Amino acid sequence: MPKLASYNGKVDSIENIKVSPMSRAFLFSDSVYEVISFYKKKFIDFETHLDRLKHSLNETKISCSIEDCKTEIVKLLNESKFEDGYIYYQVSRGVDSIRSHFFEESDCERFGFIEEFSFFNQSPLKVMLVDDIRWQRCDIKSTSLLGNVLQMNDAKSIGCNEILMHKNGELTEGGASNIFFVKNKTIFTPELSPNILPGITRHQVIKIIKDKKLNFEEGSYRIDDLKEASSIWFTSTTKGILGVEEIVNLETKINTECELLEICKNAFVKRYFS
Ligand code: PLP
């Protein structure tokens, strides 16, 4: 079945959508995006995703009406038969008449598609620890993901399905997720900074941890902290909360049956998927 997509407000089969090669998304990766999940036809934390999209648009100085984005995302969901899944939605600076680093005033270009997805029964992750080779504004959800793409595919070539990045030994995040780990019955996560994406799922999990009054710290952590961790988790819109079974290039003491992970996972499913 062809994918349903939206281009500048018009919903159509993805095969019928034609994009200009002069699009700044195509030439410069001059665009930002969101991935928003829905369950039983209802968006999960829709307004928080829109706020983050607004942040990405502001920081990149792309002018676009967030109301238009909202209308188009809702329309995609309403016109689709899918009950559970996610919408990928991106906004580029637009289509230029010449290729130039200096951008012209142009209308933004909006594109999204809808995917069916089942959020349950995902397998634990096998992870490779890698150098974080990305730019210095990872708080912006930019489509410029070459750093993540290259490192994730190196990891895939040795049988991994995620990476865990560090900058000079300081832990940042996963290739497409945020990280948490447990040490001495306390849950830790790297604090927000320009080096990580402020994940919506990260935020949801922190709310759960605080509601449950579990021991928790946000700060700056190093590879050595992972060596002592009893459990490591990744969070994202499509993964939810997912445990790590192995870091292939680091000796750890991970135990996949972690009580704190189970508490958070159960609360997460109850709050967002029931
Ligand atoms: N960090 C990176 C680099 C990501 O690409 C993602 C999601 O795509 C996340 C973190 C998790 O963000 P969220 O929980 O909002 O999906």
Side-chain angles (χ1 to χ4, degrees):
M1 199 171 56
K3 251 195 250 304
L4 202 60
S6 164
Y7 186 67
N8 291 339
K10 196 165 164 260
V11 174
D12 204 339
S13 157
I14 201 155
E15 288 144 29
N16 297 331
I17 292 175
K18 302 281 177 282
V19 180
S20 166
M22 296 307 282
S23 162
R24 293 187 68 89
F26 186 67
L27 293 173
F28 288 104
S29 195
D30 191 351
S31 38
V32 297
Y33 75 109
E34 276 300 320
V35 176
I36 306 161
S37 53
F38 55 92
Y39 182 68
K40 294 191 178 157
K41 218 69 191 175
K42 284 211 174 82
F43 286 120
I44 295 172
D45 263 353
F46 192 27
E47 291 300 326
T48 322
H49 280 279
L50 291 173
D51 285 346
R52 185 171 64 183
L53 181 58
K54 226 187 290 177
H55 168 78
S56 299
L57 291 166
N58 284 340
E59 293 301 301
T60 48
K61 302 184 176 69
I62 295 176
S63 43
C64 177
S65 149
I66 205 77
E67 282 309 313
D68 287 352
C69 301
K70 189 173 177 176
T71 307
E72 289 170 15
I73 295 167
V74 169
K75 194 166 163 199
L76 250 184
L77 180 63
N78 289 345
E79 294 202 13
S80 161
K81 289 195 173 69
F82 300 150
E83 288 287 313
D84 307 338
Y86 62 85
I87 287 179
Y88 173 93
Y89 186 82
Q90 77 170 44
V91 182
S92 97
R93 198 177 303 281
V95 178
D96 281 351
S97 52
I98 56 161
R99 179 195 175 274
S100 167
H101 291 67
F102 298 108
F103 44 79
E104 303 163 352
E105 253 327 295
S106 60
D107 294 336
C108 66
E109 180 191 36
R110 301 171 312 280
F111 166 65
F113 61 82
I114 190 160
E115 287 280 0
E116 191 170 34
F117 187 77
S118 168
F119 297 94
F120 303 107
N121 302 321
Q122 300 188 57
S123 305
L125 297 161
K126 202 166 157 182
V127 171
M128 181 164 95
L129 187 66
V130 301
D131 207 9
D132 192 334
I133 59 171
R134 303 172 300 160
W135 71 328
Q136 296 177 32
R137 287 303 309 275
C138 295
D139 57 308
I140 299 171
K141 201 163 166 65
S142 157
T143 63
S144 307
L145 291 168
L146 203 48
N148 315 47
V149 166
L150 293 177
Q151 298 286 48
M152 285 177 84
N153 281 279
D154 278 352
K156 187 180 174 209
S157 72
I158 57 162
C160 295
N161 42 15
E162 240 303 9
I163 53 173
L164 201 164
M165 295 186 275
H166 68 90
K167 258 188 198 303
N168 303 316
E170 184 178 333
L171 304 173
T172 55
E173 60 183 335
S177 26
N178 293 108
I179 55 170
F180 289 74
F181 62 93
V182 179
K183 204 171 92 173
N184 300 330
K185 297 198 167 29
T186 298
I187 305 167
F188 299 86
T189 196
E191 65 199 345
L192 293 182
S193 79
N195 290 331
I196 70 167
L197 185 79
I200 308 294
T201 322
R202 175 189 182 279
H203 182 66
Q204 293 163 346
V205 171
I206 291 174
K207 269 203 288 193
I208 287 170
I209 291 170
K210 289 186 174 168
D211 286 353
K212 300 250 165 224
K213 298 190 169 42
L214 303 172
N215 294 334
F216 173 63
E217 263 185 38
E218 268 177 283
S220 161
Y221 306 108
R222 303 195 61 80
I223 296 172
D224 275 350
D225 291 303
L226 287 184
K227 291 184 188 163
E228 297 302 315
S230 56
S231 173
I232 302 171
W233 323 336
F234 280 65
T235 63
S236 82
T237 295
T238 50
K239 291 184 188 80
I241 317 174
L242 210 46
V244 171
E245 64 176 12
E246 185 188 357
I247 301 183
V248 291
N249 52 350
L250 187 78
E251 209 162 303
T252 64
K253 298 173 179 155
I254 303 174
N255 166 13
T256 46
E257 274 155 42
C258 170
E259 193 194 340
L260 291 172
L261 173 58
E262 285 315 304
I263 292 172
C264 292
K265 260 187 171 177
N266 290 340
F268 180 78
V269 170
K270 195 165 161 205
R271 191 170 294 188
Y272 298 104
F273 292 92
S274 56

